[in-house]
Structures are given as C-alpha cells and as structure tokens.
Amino acid sequence: IGAILHLTGSGAVWGQNARKGIELALPLINNSGGINGKKVEVLFEDSKSVPTDSVSAFRKLIDVDKIQCSIVDMISSNVLALAPIAEQNKIVILSPGASSPDITNAGEYTFRNWPSDAFQGEELAKFVFGTKKIKKTAILYIENAFGESLKKVFTATFEKSGGTVIVGTV
C-alpha cells in the first residue's frame, strides 16, 4: 500500500499524525493475519504539501513499487491532482481528511472518510441559525480553497435561512 502524505511543508503536522496512525495500525493488521492472509507493507512518500510532488510520488508508487492502492494527503488540491491518475490506472486512493466538495465526483477510485466542506458549512450554518438562534454573524476564514469553500456554503445556507453574514478574513 502506498501512503502519500505531507510529511514536510505547510501541512506536516497532519501528515506526520497520519503516518503515526498508519504505523500504529500495521502491527494490529499483520498480527491478525494481514489482508486476505497477506502481510501489509506501507511505502511512505512525502508530498511536501504540494500537488506536483504528490503526482511525482504517486507515479513512483505506481510505476516502480507497483502499489494496488494508496492512502493519500489530507490536502484537497493534492487529492484532486491524483484522482485522474488513480482513475486511469484503476488504483484506489483514500484520503483521511480532504474536504473539497469536488472530491465527491473526482472518480470511481477516489474516496475519503471525512465530510466535504459543503456538508460541514451547511451543518454549521443550520446550527448557528437554527439551534443557537443567531441571526447576524461575521465569518473569519483562511484564504485558501478550504476556507473559501466553507465560507461559501455557510453563507449561502445561513442567508437562505434568513440570516445576515458580514464577511471578514484572516
């Protein structure tokens, strides 16, 4: 199994934590008979939090190491860069944290186990407006794809409910 994680770069804390989780699970899997009776080995590659480096790492894992599936970054742009390659090569990729709504339709071989920004933004807006009864709010968000996506969905849902959003950034 390949593992393309951001072990260095801006998202290193998440990639390092994912690596630790994988390394913690490996002995449990292998001591229980592995998968279909075969021991599992994970080959780690560093995406450096950059889509082009993710693609290079994926190509190596496919072409040289002959992986059958891969755990991939929590950075949506990296996952989306890998999705067409996964589709073309029929290699399953699973992200433990990427949240872009575009991942939902990225291909038959691309999966995640984290809710999309669309779901998170909508549920948060419903909670703030419906449960907390807040009718006017400001949003502080990070100016990247993740922050923009959450802001967009939250704002649309909140205003559709009858609330007012004053937008700010960090």
Side-chain angles (χ1 to χ4, degrees):
I1 296 175
I4 305 165
L5 304 170
H6 37 286
L7 302 172
T8 60
S10 62
V13 67
W14 299 308
Q16 291 292 346
N17 285 338
R19 182 179 185 142
K20 289 174 186 174
I22 292 166
E23 289 173 338
L24 186 65
L26 264 178
L28 298 173
I29 294 167
N30 287 332
N31 292 338
S32 298
I35 297 176
N36 293 329
K38 293 182 180 178
K39 299 283 184 188
V40 176
E41 179 184 1
V42 177
L43 304 173
F44 291 95
E45 294 289 333
D46 184 7
S47 75
K48 302 176 188 136
S49 306
V50 178
T52 53
D53 289 328
S54 289
V55 168
S56 295
F58 198 34
R59 293 275 17 136
K60 178 201 174 274
L61 288 169
I62 294 169
D63 297 337
V64 175
D65 299 312
K66 309 294 184 198
I67 61 155
Q68 299 300 304
C69 61
S70 187
I71 300 164
V72 297
D73 269 329
M74 284 77 75
I75 298 174
S76 295
S77 57
N78 291 7
V79 175
L80 291 167
L82 299 178
I85 301 165
E87 198 72 18
Q88 179 183 32
N89 290 277
K90 296 180 177 11
I91 301 286
V92 172
I93 59 175
L94 169 67
S95 171
S99 59
S100 169
D102 294 335
I103 293 170
T104 303
N105 299 309
E108 292 182 33
Y109 293 88
T110 302
F111 299 90
R112 64 167 163 223
N113 62 355
W114 192 264
S116 79
D117 299 341
F119 176 78
Q120 292 178 72
E122 186 175 304
E123 291 303 309
L124 182 58
K126 288 177 184 177
F127 175 76
V128 171
F129 189 86
T131 304
K132 291 297 187 180
K133 307 294 186 209
I134 295 171
K135 307 298 182 213
K136 187 175 183 180
T137 190
I139 303 172
L140 297 178
Y141 64 97
I142 189 166
E143 287 186 302
N144 63 20
F146 173 70
E148 294 285 344
S149 181
L150 283 172
K151 177 200 74 150
K152 179 181 173 183
V153 173
F154 178 91
T155 300
T157 304
F158 195 79
E159 290 178 344
K160 183 179 168 186
S161 299
T164 303
V165 175
I166 301 166
V167 178
T169 62
V170 291

